[in-house]
Amino acid sequence: MQTNNNCIVIFGASGDLTHRKLIPALYNLFKFGRLNKFSVLGVARSELNDDTFREKMREALLETEETTPETLDAFCSHLYYQAVNTSDAADYGKLVPRLEELHTKYQTNGNTLYYMSTPPSLYGVIPECLAAHGLNEEKDGWKRIIVEKPFGYDEKTAQELDVQIHRFFEEHQIYRIDHYLGKETVQNLLVLRFSNGWFEPLWNRNFIDYVEITGAESIGVEERGGYYDGSGAMRDMFQNHLLQVLAMVAMEPPAIINANSMRDEVAKVMHSLRPLTQDDVEHNLVLGQYTAAEIDGKEVKGYLQEKGVPANSRTETFMALRCEIENWRWAGVPFYVRTGKRLPARVTEIVIHFKTTPHPVFSQNAPENKLIIRIQPDEAISMRFGLKKPGAGFEAKEVSMDFRYADLADEQVLTAYERLLLDAMKGDATLFARTDAVHAAWKFVQPILDYKDAGGRVHEYEAGTWGPVAAEKLIAKSGRVWRKPSGKMKKKV
Ligand code: BG6
């Protein structure tokens, strides 16, 4: 499906996300001929004009993308800028003639994609201000609005935000972006599960012992201390990205691949998460915060010394949770999920641990059967199983069969933002979070937020380690251990 001609309005155009992710994504889509006629109107408070905005974006693209002067010039000629005081409804009037002019010039029939890449405090304001000038109305072309995360701050604020946006945009116009859903390997999970005959029969409580999901980052909070401190690992990574990944692992096959059918299944998983009790938050949850350490001979700051972080902050930079899904497929199977900053590697992976044989014929320590789905980096799938160790006797050793995405070198793999922007322009919301799933996710994590607010323990861990010792104990209670992946899926992980 091709995109319709359209105008993309980016609110927060002078911000980080715009030049780091959105403009590069649009540039690549343009370069590979994936866009029809389009214009990009950057909107922010800063007093830029078309030329200065183009210049800034050009510099950013030169830094990160492979460019040629011709494509760069051609792309930048589609960029425009309008300074607006984004909290003043009257000022949005300036957008009306600008958009009219662009719609005419690019024959976009009024089709407009609004991207809210602003501080979250504006997510409720922008739709109302647009509506004050009729810019939400679909009588002349479609109007869609992309909302960046975080969608709300907790269960209550997420509901309030929904009410605010729904006053001016209908659900089919709202695209809640979760860039993890745009990752090729996350989507591949569905194809792996539902287009092969041999995984699905084993994909349940009868054969799976437990599931591990890791979203590890080696970087700290970098320059984002101010934002991160109000968020923490739970809101920044777990409530959205990792729960969406968990839903992809656990969902039932959708009746058909379309936005509603897929998102019905995701929502069912979210609703089936066993509610966390007080006992769970005390014994099946570990929160942590990194402390200063030396990594590879370099001094690394602790979280409390990071810029923008209050010296007494209790914000968690790590969390690990054991949770369960209460349905026929998964009853009793633990899902261990962890995420953190300043861990030893940047790696996101899912490990499906299968049950052992009912009786150990060859050796007491036969290798476990597991399927490792590496989401990033070095996207790969690795099956681990036991085979005979050469030589006398019948000792089993672990071997692996690996598939690496890099082997499909001739395919042009879209980055997450490229894929999701393209889908939004096509009107395909399959890979965007739907309101019911977002609320169910907030509802599920609310006891964690309450626990922390009530003074729940935040353990320390040294930067460069796999989190607090308590996280090891959490999984060790059932005789299991976390996998300690390296950042590479080369030969042996
Ligand atoms: C973002 C978080 O949503 O995801 C960041 O705000 C985090 O803190 C990032 O670093 C991780 O994304 P990725 O694609 O690098 O795994």
Side-chain angles (χ1 to χ4, degrees):
M1 201 190 352
Q2 264 292 353
T3 58
N4 302 127
N5 296 352
N6 71 118
C7 176
I8 303 140
V9 182
I10 303 180
F11 290 97
S14 53
D16 210 40
L17 188 74
T18 304
H19 68 80
R20 270 194 320 110
K21 299 283 185 192
L22 306 182
I23 293 291
L26 290 167
Y27 175 76
N28 286 318
L29 291 173
F30 171 75
K31 184 167 94 178
F32 292 109
R34 304 225 180 210
L35 300 179
N36 266 335
K37 291 189 180 157
F38 74 101
S39 60
V40 177
L41 179 62
V43 177
R45 287 171 203 249
S46 317
E47 284 299 334
L48 300 176
N49 57 35
D50 294 349
D51 290 337
T52 45
F53 181 59
R54 284 176 189 173
E55 203 36 51
K56 271 180 79 144
M57 296 305 119
R58 176 190 292 273
E59 279 167 24
L61 288 169
L62 279 169
E63 242 174 63
T64 57
E65 306 307 303
E66 278 178 26
T67 56
T68 60
E70 300 76 50
T71 356
L72 199 54
D73 283 348
F75 175 75
C76 287
S77 71
H78 291 255
L79 305 182
Y80 300 84
Y81 185 85
Q82 177 63 54
V84 168
N85 175 357
T86 34
S87 40
D88 174 7
D91 219 32
Y92 283 65
K94 291 178 183 155
L95 294 178
V96 176
R98 254 357 262 283
L99 282 170
E100 264 168 24
E101 171 199 319
L102 294 175
H103 286 315
T104 312
K105 181 163 179 188
Y106 292 90
Q107 296 152 14
T108 38
N109 292 325
N111 295 330
T112 317
L113 180 64
Y114 299 110
Y115 199 117
M116 293 203 281
S117 165
T118 59
S121 54
L122 286 174
Y123 293 172
V125 176
I126 292 171
E128 180 166 7
C129 295
L130 289 172
H133 300 275
L135 293 170
N136 58 336
E137 288 168 15
E138 294 203 292
K139 54 182 191 293
D140 56 343
W142 51 255
K143 305 288 178 299
R144 300 179 188 138
I145 190 156
I146 300 188
V147 193
E148 256 299 332
K149 74 157 239 257
F151 197 87
Y153 190 70
D154 54 18
E155 199 186 343
K156 184 165 163 279
T157 49
Q159 263 158 8
E160 287 165 0
L161 179 58
D162 242 350
V163 171
Q164 278 175 307
I165 302 181
H166 277 137
R167 277 170 59 210
F168 308 104
F169 285 84
E170 288 177 33
E171 183 60 21
H172 76 267
Q173 296 173 279
I174 306 172
Y175 289 69
R176 296 173 194 79
I177 199 163
D178 184 313
H179 79 278
Y180 266 57
L181 293 179
K183 290 184 191 278
E184 188 71 22
T185 23
V186 173
Q187 295 150 34
N188 189 38
L189 240 173
L190 300 181
V191 179
L192 174 86
R193 288 188 56 199
F194 302 135
S195 72
N196 293 296
W198 62 4
F199 295 112
E200 211 39 34
L202 305 180
W203 211 265
N204 58 54
R205 64 191 299 277
N206 297 322
F207 299 96
I208 293 179
D209 186 24
Y210 68 107
V211 177
E212 247 183 284
I213 300 178
T214 296
E217 293 185 275
S218 50
I219 53 169
V221 292
E222 313 276 275
E223 298 302 306
R224 299 163 73 225
Y227 147 77
Y228 192 88
D229 200 62
S231 172
M234 219 290 301
R235 292 186 174 94
D236 188 53
M237 287 289 291
F238 181 78
Q239 184 271 344
N240 33 67
H241 305 327
L242 294 185
L243 280 183
Q244 288 286 347
V245 170
L246 181 145
M248 296 279 167
V249 174
M251 70 195 252
E252 297 301 316
I256 37 171
I257 298 289
N258 71 16
N260 270 338
S261 194
M262 279 268 294
R263 299 189 303 171
D264 285 347
E265 299 307 333
V266 168
K268 275 199 244 165
V269 175
M270 301 290 186
H271 286 298
S272 313
L273 285 162
R274 196 182 72 191
L276 297 171
T277 60
Q278 189 58 26
D279 187 62
D280 281 319
V281 289
E282 282 169 13
H283 300 109
N284 289 326
L285 168 75
V286 173
L287 303 177
Q289 189 184 78
Y290 62 83
T291 58
E294 196 181 292
I295 303 176
D296 296 335
K298 274 202 213 122
E299 284 284 319
V300 167
K301 282 184 196 161
Y303 178 68
L304 296 182
Q305 289 89 53
E306 300 278 14
K307 202 168 112 205
V309 174
N312 60 351
S313 168
R314 295 184 65 252
T315 295
E316 78 289 354
T317 58
F318 174 95
M319 83 167 262
L321 179 74
R322 177 194 187 281
C323 55
E324 285 185 32
I325 297 170
E326 287 186 315
N327 62 18
W328 277 42
R329 186 188 282 266
W330 294 112
V333 178
F335 281 70
Y336 293 95
V337 188
R338 68 182 161 163
T339 180
K341 300 239 183 236
R342 282 278 181 235
L343 301 187
R346 173 180 184 246
V347 49
T348 305
E349 69 170 29
I350 300 154
V351 189
I352 312 289
H353 296 262
F354 290 90
K355 290 186 173 167
T356 50
T357 56
H359 173 67
V361 177
F362 294 117
S363 97
Q364 295 297 336
N365 299 316
E368 196 195 16
N369 291 164
K370 43 184 186 264
L371 185 68
I372 302 170
I373 301 162
R374 170 68 62 91
I375 291 173
Q376 62 186 20
D378 270 336
E379 294 85 345
I381 294 173
S382 178
M383 278 170 101
R384 301 294 168 87
F385 51 99
L387 277 185
K388 184 180 168 303
K389 200 167 170 180
F394 280 99
E395 207 180 320
K397 72 177 250 189
E398 185 182 280
V399 296
S400 71
M401 274 168 56
D402 298 343
F403 158 75
R404 296 183 58 213
Y405 248 75
D407 296 341
L408 300 179
D410 48 342
E411 297 291 325
Q412 186 223 339
V413 177
L414 296 181
T415 64
Y417 276 96
E418 288 165 18
R419 170 70 198 256
L420 294 174
L421 276 164
L422 197 61
D423 282 3
M425 285 184 242
K426 289 179 181 169
D428 182 353
T430 308
L431 298 174
F432 290 82
R434 199 171 62 188
T435 179
D436 49 352
V438 173
H439 291 304
W442 276 120
K443 187 167 183 202
F444 174 67
V445 302
Q446 191 62 44
I448 302 178
L449 299 175
D450 295 343
Y451 169 74
K452 212 182 79 180
D453 289 349
R457 177 145 184 214
V458 180
H459 301 255
E460 291 186 344
Y461 64 98
E462 245 182 56
T465 65
W466 279 104
V469 180
E472 302 298 333
K473 291 190 180 152
L474 163 70
I475 195 166
K477 278 190 275 188
S478 53
R480 299 166 173 133
V481 283
W482 295 101
R483 218 177 89 80
K484 304 277 185 313
S486 74
K488 299 255 174 280
M489 195 78 155
K490 286 280 152 51
K491 287 244 162 52
K492 181 89 180 151
V493 192

